[in-house]
Amino acid sequence: MALRIITADERLAEPRGIKACIFGKSGVGKTSLLWTMPDETTLFIDLEAGDLAVQGWPGASIRPRTWEECRDLALFLAGPNPALRDEQAYSTAQHARVVREYGDPESLGRYATIFVDSITVAGRLCFQWCRGQPEAFSERTGKPDIRGAYGLHGREMIAWLTHLQHARGRNVIFVGILDERLDDFNRRVFSPQIDGSKTGLELPGIVDQVITMAAIEPEPAGSESAAPQRMLVCQTLNPWGYPAKDRSGRLDMLEPPHLGRLFAKIAGPVRPIAERLLLGPPPPAQPIPVTTQTP
């Protein structure tokens, strides 16, 4: 069978969703971003049971309690991966099982956005499940092997995120806690709060948008005339060192904390490539003027 070539017109006409991770410190208001999305087309995946901030939000929610439920939900939302064997978690055979248990996937067809709160808790559920699997025990002694558990955890989390990333017609938003520490040179370093290191390292390459929600000091820094404002940091090159990435090339460094407007901007007209990337060699360095003093 010959490989089918997808033309540019077909590719541009395909429905595509936005896959985004939003990180921020505890209490900065990440869950409250749910208020800025249409409630009738947004499904809230409440892993933290921390919905007090959105107590009056009128949308629907699901509350998975185990890692198996998280995997089945991803399979139900994104469909099967035909490349996998029947015994693998996201295979066609497993999808048939999930459909028998959950019903017709079209029952969730009206939800254009999946809001997952949070990837931090999903990582904890995954690690708890991994610690009970055969890979988490030494074959020689039978004792727990923490390295094996972390290795399985990394593979499971990446597979889960990648499968949700292939839900092409839906927006998927992962919310997570952002950790801050000082490195050996007393510089601030930020990293997602997820068990293990593999998921945090590979996550930026999976999703389209990495965004940090932070309280930004007004200009000039230290001014007492205005309080810090919550903003979304959306570009990799930012003065605070926050994790961020904009695959669309449409976002400014700072955007208002409103996901509905943010997604509309991402789906807007494409900016010319010359405005998004600096192509070609950098401009030549300017010579430093030298002054001489007459004795």
Side-chain angles (χ1 to χ4, degrees):
M1 182 179 66
L3 290 175
R4 180 176 178 274
I5 296 178
I6 301 173
T7 66
D9 290 338
E10 290 175 325
R11 177 171 53 83
L12 294 174
E14 286 179 339
R16 65 183 68 224
I18 300 166
K19 309 305 184 291
C21 265
I22 302 176
F23 294 107
K25 297 180 180 179
S26 296
V28 76
K30 301 182 296 297
T31 306
S32 297
L33 290 172
L34 196 59
W35 286 102
T36 67
M37 297 297 295
D39 57 84
E40 66 277 4
T41 58
T42 301
L43 181 63
F44 179 31
I45 309 301
D46 183 14
L47 291 168
E48 286 196 341
D51 59 351
L52 186 61
V54 290
Q55 190 171 9
W57 184 70
S61 63
I62 298 178
R63 295 173 178 168
R65 299 294 302 273
T66 66
W67 180 241
E68 292 93 333
E69 290 179 348
C70 291
R71 293 197 308 188
D72 286 350
L73 182 59
L75 185 56
F76 193 66
L77 292 170
N81 182 349
L84 300 181
R85 300 184 303 274
D86 287 350
E87 69 274 12
Q88 292 181 285
Y90 304 108
S91 67
T92 302
Q94 294 301 318
H95 181 259
R97 173 188 61 81
V98 169
V99 169
R100 289 194 301 269
E101 295 178 4
Y102 290 6
D104 187 355
E106 288 301 317
S107 62
L108 300 182
R110 68 187 181 97
Y111 296 110
T113 300
I114 310 299
F115 190 96
V116 182
D117 187 16
S118 66
I119 191 174
T120 301
V121 175
R124 293 171 188 163
L125 293 177
C126 179
F127 189 63
Q128 177 66 24
W129 177 84
C130 290
R131 293 186 66 178
Q133 302 308 303
E135 293 92 329
F137 295 89
S138 170
E139 294 183 357
R140 185 171 59 86
T141 65
K143 295 182 178 180
D145 179 6
I146 195 67
R147 292 177 300 177
Y150 273 117
L152 178 60
H153 172 267
R155 296 192 297 273
E156 281 285 327
M157 286 295 294
I158 295 302
W160 184 65
L161 292 168
T162 302
H163 195 75
L164 283 171
Q165 194 266 347
H166 281 83
R168 294 188 61 85
R170 285 191 168 102
N171 305 318
V172 182
I173 305 168
F174 301 100
V175 174
I177 297 174
L178 187 67
D179 281 340
E180 177 183 348
R181 62 179 178 84
L182 295 177
D183 64 8
D184 295 338
F185 300 96
N186 207 33
R187 297 174 300 193
R188 293 197 306 170
V189 177
F190 300 97
S191 60
Q193 188 183 106
I194 306 174
D195 287 333
S197 59
K198 182 178 178 65
T199 305
L201 291 173
E202 297 193 22
L203 181 60
I206 297 175
V207 297
D208 303 312
Q209 311 292 136
V210 177
I211 298 169
T212 294
M213 186 175 187
I216 303 298
E217 294 284 347
E219 294 292 342
S223 173
E224 297 181 358
S225 60
Q229 295 184 349
R230 291 185 297 175
M231 299 292 290
L232 301 179
V233 182
C234 303
Q235 292 186 4
T236 305
L237 303 179
N238 64 80
W240 308 278
Y242 289 129
K245 161 192 163 182
D246 175 27
R247 187 172 282 171
S248 73
R250 296 178 174 94
L251 302 181
D252 296 326
M253 180 188 299
L254 293 178
E255 296 284 351
H258 193 291
L259 290 184
R261 297 172 190 164
L262 190 82
F263 282 12
K265 189 172 183 179
I266 293 173
V270 179
R271 292 169 56 192
I273 190 65
E275 296 181 9
R276 292 186 283 161
L277 296 174
L278 177 63
L279 302 177
Q286 297 296 322
I288 301 175
V290 178
T291 59
T292 59
Q293 294 182 350
T294 304

